Amino acid sequence: MRKIILSLLGVVLIIGAFFASEAIVASNQRTRPKPEKVVKTVFVEDVVNGVVPMEISANGNLVAQRRLEVFSEVQGILQKGSKLFKPGQTYRRGETILRLNSAEYYASVQSQKSALFNQITAIMPDLRLDYPEAYPKWQKYINNFDVNKSTPTLPEITSEKEGYFISGRNIQTSYYNVKNLEQRLGKYNIVAPFTGILTEALVTEGTLVRPGQKLGEFIDTSVYELEVAISKNYADLLKVGNEVALTTIDGDQSYTGKVTRVNGNIDQASQTINAYIEVKDSALREGVYLEAVLQAKEETDAIAIARGLLQPNNQVFTVRDSILDIIDVKPVYFSDKEVVVKGVPNGTKLVSKPVPGAYAGMLVKIYQEKDSSQAPAE
């Protein structure tokens, strides 16, 4: 009897332990929460097609539009002038930049002038007898002849016999020899062809200057040029006379230039074409680095968007009834940061900022700015 009771108690304990374990397992089960549906917020803008100017960015260093490399055609000692021949020295138009010692050459020119005067004087008696009609003009010529001034032009030959007579006495040959010497004498003084500044001086006072020797550089500081290289794809868009916005590399200073020339030759290596921009400003200096934005042309019925908004296969995202949609567009121009596209209907809600993981059919909500002027209700 004792064994039977103990067996029954064991069976009851086993059954109770089983149900107790089932109850504990059932009480520890956790229900998995249903994932909440996330709706991303997007920024949009209403499309308004219009005229979009195409801008081409380029950069380069300023150079003087008018530059004179000073060379010597004669030999002589550089003399002291009214101004020092040093970099930074300014000269007005017509002012002597430098002067070489020409005393010896000047004496030879004066000698040739005297010889010409003597030749003409020697033929005067024959002219008076044989060609009395030509005598007055030649007499007037020698009366006005001054060896200290430029040799005046010979009187006009009015008859064939007079011409033979003058040529036979070598008057014309002597005259042109003198004029040639006078022209060379003028090269001992170098005169500024325009108002500007000396940027380089390679000789000093007392230096022996030889023919063909470079003496320095002289530039016009009133007008500068910026040479920029533009892709050949935009060669037909550039027009002479277009205004150009110029800025310094730090963006502190801005200037306005104008396209004055466009090279007709394309660089074979870089496939670019050079455009030249003229700019005038007293604050500019040669060598300043500037960035230029050229207005190539205007595209009608188009919009400009950030390049990151253009999807592969030339598509963009739009929002239609809180659903992302994708439409095809036609890109017509790419810049560094923007792309000009056509084919987006007016009034379309275009996604204005990239949306990570975006896809067509995605549920979204449009960002609405809060009106800070409305006070919260109490």
Side-chain angles (χ1 to χ4, degrees), residues 92-167:
R92 296 187 303 273
R93 180 179 179 179
E95 190 174 1
T96 300
I97 298 178
L98 56 82
R99 179 182 291 107
L100 301 180
N101 188 350
S102 60
E104 182 180 352
Y105 195 82
Y106 177 78
S108 65
V109 174
Q110 295 299 92
S111 175
Q112 293 297 322
K113 285 184 179 180
S114 298
L116 174 62
F117 182 80
N118 293 337
Q119 281 183 279
I120 298 176
T121 304
I123 67 170
M124 293 304 293
D126 294 336
L127 276 175
R128 188 170 187 177
L129 293 174
D130 299 334
Y131 307 99
E133 71 282 356
Y135 178 80
K137 61 182 178 183
W138 285 95
Q139 182 63 46
K140 182 180 179 181
Y141 180 81
I142 62 174
N143 290 338
N144 296 329
F145 195 97
D146 188 349
V147 293
N148 296 318
K149 296 180 180 179
S150 177
T151 305
T153 305
L154 291 176
E156 183 181 358
I157 305 298
T158 56
S159 65
E160 186 177 356
K161 291 182 178 181
E162 179 189 357
Y164 290 150
F165 178 80
I166 297 300
S167 299

Side-chain angles (χ1 to χ4, degrees), residues 271-289:
Q271 290 296 292
T272 57
I273 187 170
N274 290 336
Y276 300 88
I277 303 167
E278 178 184 292
V279 56
K280 300 178 181 179
D281 198 286
S282 58
L284 291 172
R285 294 290 183 272
E286 189 176 57
V288 173
Y289 184 85

Side-chain angles (χ1 to χ4, degrees), residues 36-317:
E36 296 182 0
K37 196 169 186 178
V38 179
V39 179
K40 289 188 176 182
T41 302
V42 296
F43 294 85
V44 299
E45 61 182 17
D46 294 332
V47 173
V48 178
N49 288 286
V51 178
V52 180
M54 292 187 178
E55 298 179 343
I56 304 172
S57 298
N59 50 63
N61 294 94
L62 279 183
V63 295
Q65 189 179 66
R66 302 179 69 185
R67 171 186 298 274
L68 173 66
E69 290 189 344
V70 185
F71 283 87
S72 174
E73 297 183 60
V74 294
Q75 180 171 312
I77 302 295
L78 181 62
Q79 293 183 323
K80 180 180 179 180
S82 58
K83 294 182 178 180
L84 289 175
F85 187 73
K86 298 289 184 181
Q89 190 65 261
T90 58
Y91 297 90
R92 296 187 303 273
R93 180 179 179 179
E95 190 174 1
T96 300
I97 298 178
L98 56 82
R99 179 182 291 107
L100 301 180
N101 188 350
S102 60
E104 182 180 352
Y105 195 82
Y106 177 78
S108 65
V109 174
Q110 295 299 92
S111 175
Q112 293 297 322
K113 285 184 179 180
S114 298
L116 174 62
F117 182 80
N118 293 337
Q119 281 183 279
I120 298 176
T121 304
I123 67 170
M124 293 304 293
D126 294 336
L127 276 175
R128 188 170 187 177
L129 293 174
D130 299 334
Y131 307 99
E133 71 282 356
Y135 178 80
K137 61 182 178 183
W138 285 95
Q139 182 63 46
K140 182 180 179 181
Y141 180 81
I142 62 174
N143 290 338
N144 296 329
F145 195 97
D146 188 349
V147 293
N148 296 318
K149 296 180 180 179
S150 177
T151 305
T153 305
L154 291 176
E156 183 181 358
I157 305 298
T158 56
S159 65
E160 186 177 356
K161 291 182 178 181
E162 179 189 357
Y164 290 150
F165 178 80
I166 297 300
S167 299
R169 299 303 189 275
N170 289 327
I171 301 298
Q172 292 176 326
T173 302
S174 300
Y175 167 78
Y176 287 114
N177 286 337
V178 171
K179 296 302 289 186
N180 181 52
L181 295 176
E182 286 182 340
Q183 289 292 324
R184 190 163 185 82
L185 179 63
K187 296 178 181 179
Y188 281 83
N189 294 337
I190 298 179
V191 178
F194 48 80
T195 300
I197 188 171
L198 193 68
T199 58
E200 184 182 20
L202 303 178
V203 292
T204 57
E205 296 174 6
T207 302
L208 175 61
V209 177
R210 294 178 173 83
Q213 180 179 350
K214 184 178 179 180
L215 309 179
E217 287 189 2
F218 184 70
I219 66 170
D220 183 359
T221 57
S222 62
V223 185
Y224 293 95
E225 270 191 349
L226 180 68
E227 181 181 358
V228 294
I230 306 299
S231 173
K232 65 179 180 62
N233 298 328
Y234 309 125
D236 57 335
L237 305 180
L238 291 174
K239 294 182 179 180
V240 174
N242 285 3
E243 287 194 351
V244 182
L246 304 171
T247 57
T248 55
I249 190 171
D250 53 12
D252 293 341
Q253 302 292 331
S254 60
Y255 310 94
T256 301
K258 182 175 64 175
V259 179
T260 55
R261 303 191 311 280
V262 178
N263 198 339
N265 183 35
I266 295 177
D267 187 276
Q268 296 296 325
S270 60
Q271 290 296 292
T272 57
I273 187 170
N274 290 336
Y276 300 88
I277 303 167
E278 178 184 292
V279 56
K280 300 178 181 179
D281 198 286
S282 58
L284 291 172
R285 294 290 183 272
E286 189 176 57
V288 173
Y289 184 85
L290 293 179
E291 294 181 350
V293 178
L294 290 81
Q295 300 290 341
K297 75 169 188 176
E298 293 181 342
E299 191 68 41
T300 58
D301 196 24
I303 59 172
I305 62 174
R307 293 190 63 164
L309 298 179
L310 186 64
Q311 305 300 315
N313 301 322
N314 297 330
Q315 296 176 321
V316 293
F317 281 111

